[in-house]
Short mmCIF file of all heavy atoms in Angstrom, two decimals:
data_model
loop_
_atom_site.label_atom_id
_atom_site.label_comp_id
_atom_site.label_asym_id
_atom_site.label_seq_id
_atom_site.Cartn_x
_atom_site.Cartn_y
_atom_site.Cartn_z
N ASP E 164 63.15 -101.37 109.47
CA ASP E 164 64.06 -102.26 110.23
C ASP E 164 64.04 -103.64 109.60
O ASP E 164 62.97 -104.12 109.17
CB ASP E 164 63.63 -102.36 111.70
CG ASP E 164 63.82 -101.04 112.43
OD1 ASP E 164 64.78 -100.32 112.07
OD2 ASP E 164 63.02 -100.73 113.34
N LEU E 165 65.17 -104.29 109.62
CA LEU E 165 65.24 -105.64 109.09
C LEU E 165 64.65 -106.63 110.10
O LEU E 165 64.79 -106.44 111.32
CB LEU E 165 66.70 -106.01 108.80
CG LEU E 165 67.37 -105.20 107.68
CD1 LEU E 165 68.85 -105.59 107.59
CD2 LEU E 165 66.67 -105.43 106.36
N PRO E 166 63.96 -107.67 109.67
CA PRO E 166 63.39 -108.64 110.62
C PRO E 166 64.50 -109.47 111.28
O PRO E 166 65.57 -109.67 110.72
CB PRO E 166 62.50 -109.50 109.71
CG PRO E 166 63.09 -109.39 108.36
CD PRO E 166 63.66 -108.00 108.26
N TYR E 167 64.18 -109.97 112.53
CA TYR E 167 65.15 -110.80 113.27
C TYR E 167 64.38 -111.86 114.03
O TYR E 167 63.19 -111.70 114.32
CB TYR E 167 66.00 -109.96 114.22
CG TYR E 167 65.22 -109.30 115.33
CD1 TYR E 167 65.08 -109.93 116.58
CD2 TYR E 167 64.62 -108.06 115.13
CE1 TYR E 167 64.34 -109.33 117.57
CE2 TYR E 167 63.89 -107.46 116.12
CZ TYR E 167 63.75 -108.09 117.36
OH TYR E 167 63.02 -107.50 118.34
N THR E 168 65.06 -112.94 114.44
CA THR E 168 64.46 -114.04 115.19
C THR E 168 64.64 -113.78 116.68
O THR E 168 65.77 -113.57 117.15
CB THR E 168 65.13 -115.37 114.83
OG1 THR E 168 64.99 -115.57 113.41
CG2 THR E 168 64.48 -116.52 115.56
N PRO E 169 63.52 -113.76 117.50
CA PRO E 169 63.66 -113.49 118.94
C PRO E 169 64.37 -114.64 119.65
O PRO E 169 64.24 -115.80 119.28
CB PRO E 169 62.21 -113.34 119.41
CG PRO E 169 61.41 -114.09 118.41
CD PRO E 169 62.11 -113.95 117.11
N SER E 170 65.12 -114.29 120.70
CA SER E 170 65.88 -115.30 121.46
C SER E 170 65.03 -116.03 122.48
O SER E 170 65.35 -117.15 122.89
CB SER E 170 67.07 -114.63 122.17
OG SER E 170 66.59 -113.60 123.03
N THR E 173 57.93 -114.40 124.06
CA THR E 173 57.38 -113.17 124.65
C THR E 173 56.11 -113.44 125.45
O THR E 173 55.63 -112.55 126.16
CB THR E 173 57.06 -112.17 123.54
OG1 THR E 173 56.18 -112.77 122.60
CG2 THR E 173 58.34 -111.74 122.82
#
Side-chain angles (χ1 to χ4, degrees):
D164 292 328
L165 295 175
Y167 64 93
T168 302
S170 59
T173 56

